[in-house]
Amino acid sequence: MDKLVATGTCVRRTDQLAAISLDKDGASSSTVQKSRFSSRTRIRSILGRPDGGAGLAGQKVEISGWVKTGREQGKGTFAFLEVNDGSCAANLQVKVDACVSDVSKLVATGTCLTVDGCLKIPPEGKATKQKIELSAEKVIDVGTVDPATYPIPKTKLTLEHLRDYTNFRARTTTMAAVTRIRSKITLEAHLFCDEHDICHIHTPIITTSDCEGAGEMFQVTTLINQSDKLERDLVMNPPPTEADIEAAKLIVKEKGEAVAQLKAAKASKQEITASVAQLTEAKEALAKVEERSRLKPGLPKKDGKIDYSQDFFARQAFLTVSGQLHAETYACSMGDVYTFGPTFRAEKSHTSRHLAEFWMVEVELAFAGVEEAMNCAEALVKDICNSLLEKCDDDMKLMAKNVDKACIDRLLLVASTGFGRVTYTEAITLLEKAVAQGKKFENQVEWGIDLASEHERYLTEVLFQKPLIVYNYPKEIKAFYMRLNDDGKTVAAFDVLVPKVGELIGGSQREERMDVLMERMEEMGLPIKQYEWYIDLRRHGTVKHSGFGLGLERMLLFATGMDNIRDVIPFPRYPGRADL
């Protein structure tokens, strides 16, 4: 039965593969934690114990992984291998004697192997930080590498260089740690929503609605493929000429006259039927010739515009920029819901903060105002930070050592500090005061601007020195669905700002008043007909509701201290790059 750990008022199931069993006195068990479904033991379950694995000495285990470094010793009589299987940052030292396997094939960085052996305490005085090593008794499998062409040698590589090898970069220590942290954040987001009875729904990736109204969307179409195929076909089989059409019409005329003659001569039913069949075939052939004659290269047009009625969905379709609008339909039927999935922006930005494909946790709370949404967003961020501190200790220490020494302190700050709250107008006043006192920003500060990253970071890092929620933004810089405040100038929108990255979460109370919503849409020039389904939510049983979206990659930048968003997603997509 799975081990359970109480957390607050809920009970969580721990990862059985990584759990460290304790005896009744609280000491580490001498039993190796093995997988429920395979014979191999994860390296984390050995080295992640409080005793560093020393209590497992004498145990037989089977481990698998990739060689980080390897060295032959004793003139090739044995070799030491540093092996990592991705379950933790630490490597397990494996000693392989030449009588067990050809050690020359094992020492190259990147070699994959499966080894049976016995865990032993390293000899005293040996230059190793590990308290346990594996003495190999059998090398079961070996996946060799070509050191001359392997792109991830043991020498240190830049993160920019690794972007050219997304199929291998997870084998590096830093990228593997980032990936485990990403996994933990994802899990914690799901657990948070589950604990608060927020129902998980799947919203479509292909949509016909622009949630943000900005038009920066990737289009989904089969028209281009169809057009290319048609052009190739017309080259191989040119369309019929006018002479071909006239010839086909002549055949139809002749067949028709033949039928008429047979009927006039009172021919047999069998003869007339056969003649009618020939006439039908001639007419079908003519129809195909005429249809083919109308085929033109290029995209189909109607009234001078692309005819999307001939597209796969019979209308324009796009990759979603947000699952929010679709999530609202379920929030207005089932209460609190959330969606967690990829979103897409066709924004040609090459900055370190933008991706064309990224992941969002989007929460929609029914019967909730903007205050409740802000409270929920703050609680989610705090829970994620606490989870990383409790469950990703080794990986976070690695990030603090290799990437950003302040990353753990930031997590502690956010986890233990109440978020400040100021209106947008108050934030602008504070920034203007800073400018008057000599602070220089690249972007101008005035009421009505969309706060730039430098403004957001100055507010949270310098002025408040803690996470900050800015709310009540000017309506002109926010989306059509955000609830208009009584002043007629601002909307009930909010952003959660954190040190290092600035905006982490964006949210708002949604406009539940149909007349106000439609007026806002008309102001922004949005096609009302396209959003009738969304307006219907206000027409039939409208409800006060609010929501927000947390960017997974931005959360990772904040947590890990990584500088470029392209290094916190497994397969980054950005202008000019869509590798693999």
Side-chain angles (χ1 to χ4, degrees):
M1 187 172 178
D2 294 339
K3 185 179 177 182
L4 298 176
V5 177
T7 306
T9 58
C10 68
V11 178
R12 291 187 178 176
R13 176 181 174 272
T14 61
D15 180 357
Q16 189 176 27
L17 303 185
I20 299 168
S21 61
L22 303 175
D23 62 24
K24 60 185 178 180
D25 297 319
S28 296
S29 167
S30 60
T31 303
V32 176
Q33 292 289 323
K34 293 187 177 181
S35 168
R36 294 167 59 189
F37 47 81
S38 78
S39 58
R40 78 181 180 96
T41 298
R42 293 183 183 271
I43 290 175
R44 179 185 176 192
S45 66
I46 299 172
L47 301 182
R49 295 160 49 94
D51 62 4
L56 299 176
Q59 293 286 312
K60 301 274 189 170
V61 297
E62 176 186 307
I63 63 101
S64 300
W66 292 265
V67 175
K68 288 284 192 175
T69 62
R71 61 190 188 277
E72 293 185 52
Q73 292 196 344
K75 297 182 179 181
T77 58
F78 63 95
F80 285 113
L81 312 174
E82 296 288 327
V83 178
N84 189 283
D85 65 358
S87 62
C88 63
N91 304 323
L92 177 65
Q93 180 164 278
V94 179
K95 181 185 177 185
V96 184
D97 292 323
C99 61
V100 173
S101 181
D102 182 354
V103 296
S104 65
K105 294 182 179 181
L106 307 179
V107 294
T109 297
T111 300
C112 183
L113 45 77
T114 296
V115 177
D116 266 346
C118 184
L119 293 169
K120 296 183 178 180
I121 302 292
E124 289 186 14
K126 192 172 179 179
T128 178
K129 296 180 181 179
Q130 290 194 358
K131 298 177 180 179
I132 199 74
E133 69 179 20
L134 181 65
S135 179
E137 296 175 349
K138 183 179 181 181
V139 177
I140 300 173
D141 290 309
V142 177
T144 60
V145 300
D146 178 1
T149 59
Y150 183 56
I152 312 293
K154 59 184 178 182
T155 54
K156 189 173 183 178
L157 300 169
T158 66
L159 294 172
E160 185 176 9
H161 174 80
L162 289 173
R163 288 176 214 144
D164 292 330
Y165 301 98
T166 53
N167 53 333
F168 282 117
R169 68 176 182 168
R171 293 188 185 182
T172 63
T173 303
T174 298
M175 293 306 300
V178 169
T179 302
R180 286 188 293 269
I181 293 170
R182 183 186 177 99
S183 176
K184 195 60 67 178
I185 292 173
T186 300
L187 175 62
E188 187 58 36
H190 284 297
L191 289 173
F192 174 89
C193 290
D194 186 61
E195 290 160 13
H196 293 85
D197 293 324
I198 304 174
C199 184
H200 187 202
I201 65 168
H202 296 105
T203 52
I205 290 176
I206 298 175
T207 180
T208 56
S209 303
D210 182 357
C211 177
E212 299 301 321
E216 296 174 333
M217 304 178 74
F218 287 103
Q219 190 166 341
V220 178
T221 180
T222 59
L223 289 181
I224 296 174
N225 289 341
Q226 292 171 3
S227 176
D228 289 344
K229 183 179 179 181
L230 175 60
E231 288 187 18
R232 291 193 299 268
D233 182 52
L234 291 177
V235 170
M236 298 294 294
N237 303 289
T241 63
E242 284 296 326
D244 295 327
I245 297 173
E246 290 302 319
K249 288 181 177 179
L250 181 59
I251 293 173
V252 171
K253 181 180 179 182
E254 290 174 350
K255 298 298 183 183
E257 290 173 350
V259 171
Q261 291 172 2
L262 288 172
K263 289 182 177 179
K266 296 183 180 181
S268 67
K269 183 178 180 180
Q270 185 177 2
E271 288 178 310
I272 294 174
T273 301
S275 185
V276 169
Q278 291 177 1
L279 174 61
T280 301
E281 289 179 5
K283 288 181 177 179
E284 290 175 351
L286 173 60
K288 290 179 180 179
V289 169
E290 289 178 328
E291 180 182 7
R292 186 166 176 77
S293 71
R294 291 191 290 269
L295 294 177
K296 305 294 181 186
L299 297 174
K301 298 287 184 69
K302 185 177 182 180
D303 298 330
K305 298 180 180 179
I306 296 175
D307 183 7
Y308 286 105
S309 67
Q310 297 187 41
D311 208 347
F312 187 90
F313 295 106
R315 60 190 299 184
Q316 275 189 288
F318 308 91
L319 295 181
T320 183
V321 298
S322 169
Q324 177 205 315
L325 299 189
H326 293 90
E328 283 188 57
T329 66
Y330 271 71
C332 293
S333 302
M334 295 182 61
D336 301 344
V337 300
Y338 78 104
T339 182
F340 196 161
T343 54
F344 307 85
R345 299 283 172 89
E347 181 181 358
K348 283 203 169 184
S349 173
H350 293 270
T351 74
S352 62
R353 289 163 49 88
H354 288 88
L355 288 168
E357 177 184 2
F358 52 97
W359 287 70
M360 294 280 290
V361 184
E362 298 181 275
V363 177
E364 288 296 319
L365 305 173
F367 311 104
V370 68
E371 185 77 18
E372 289 134 305
M374 290 192 287
N375 293 341
C376 182
E378 178 175 344
L380 172 59
V381 174
K382 284 178 174 290
D383 271 23
I384 290 174
C385 291
N386 275 314
S387 176
L388 294 180
L389 290 167
E390 294 170 8
K391 301 172 185 176
C392 289
D393 181 60
D394 289 344
D395 284 326
M396 288 308 306
K397 285 179 179 176
L398 178 72
M399 301 309 295
K401 176 183 176 183
N402 295 345
V403 178
D404 181 359
K405 62 182 180 181
C407 64
I408 294 178
D409 290 337
R410 276 199 308 274
L411 291 178
L412 287 168
L413 171 70
V414 173
S416 61
T417 306
F419 291 13
R421 298 190 184 187
V422 296
T423 66
Y424 169 89
T425 300
E426 291 169 338
I428 290 294
T429 300
L430 290 170
L431 292 170
E432 288 177 332
K433 183 177 179 181
V435 171
Q437 294 174 348
K439 172 63 181 174
K440 295 188 181 300
F441 293 108
E442 291 183 8
N443 298 275
Q444 186 177 355
V445 176
E446 62 181 1
W447 199 95
I449 66 164
D450 196 358
L451 294 178
S453 177
E454 60 175 339
H455 303 142
E456 295 167 345
R457 293 188 62 178
Y458 185 79
L459 287 166
T460 185
E461 294 173 9
V462 179
L463 293 183
F464 286 85
Q465 298 182 7
K466 64 180 180 179
L468 182 67
I469 299 178
V470 179
Y471 61 98
N472 288 350
Y473 280 80
K475 67 177 184 178
E476 288 80 10
I477 61 173
K478 290 298 182 180
F480 71 93
Y481 53 76
M482 297 184 176
R483 194 180 200 277
L484 188 66
N485 288 326
D486 293 340
D487 60 13
K489 298 191 302 180
T490 62
V491 289
F494 70 92
D495 289 336
V496 176
L497 313 182
V498 294
K500 176 69 178 175
V501 299
E503 181 191 342
L504 179 64
I505 287 176
S508 73
Q509 183 171 336
R510 316 313 189 190
E511 184 58 79
E512 84 281 8
R513 299 165 295 185
M514 187 175 74
D515 56 338
V516 180
L517 177 64
M518 293 182 69
E519 185 177 333
R520 287 278 287 141
M521 294 175 72
E522 288 171 357
E523 284 178 7
M524 302 181 72
L526 296 176
I528 299 295
K529 184 177 181 181
Q530 184 178 332
Y531 292 90
E532 279 293 346
W533 63 272
Y534 186 71
I535 297 170
D536 277 346
L537 297 175
R538 281 73 181 166
R539 185 175 286 120
H540 306 295
T542 189
V543 55
K544 177 175 73 172
H545 60 290
S546 302
F548 61 86
L550 179 149
L552 176 58
E553 286 74 27
R554 293 243 176 136
M555 185 70 216
L556 274 155
L557 289 178
F558 164 74
T560 64
M562 298 286 276
D563 288 324
N564 199 308
I565 200 167
R566 299 170 185 176
D567 300 322
V568 295
I569 188 170
F571 303 100
R573 270 77 175 107
Y574 49 95
R577 296 296 291 268
D579 298 347
L580 308 191

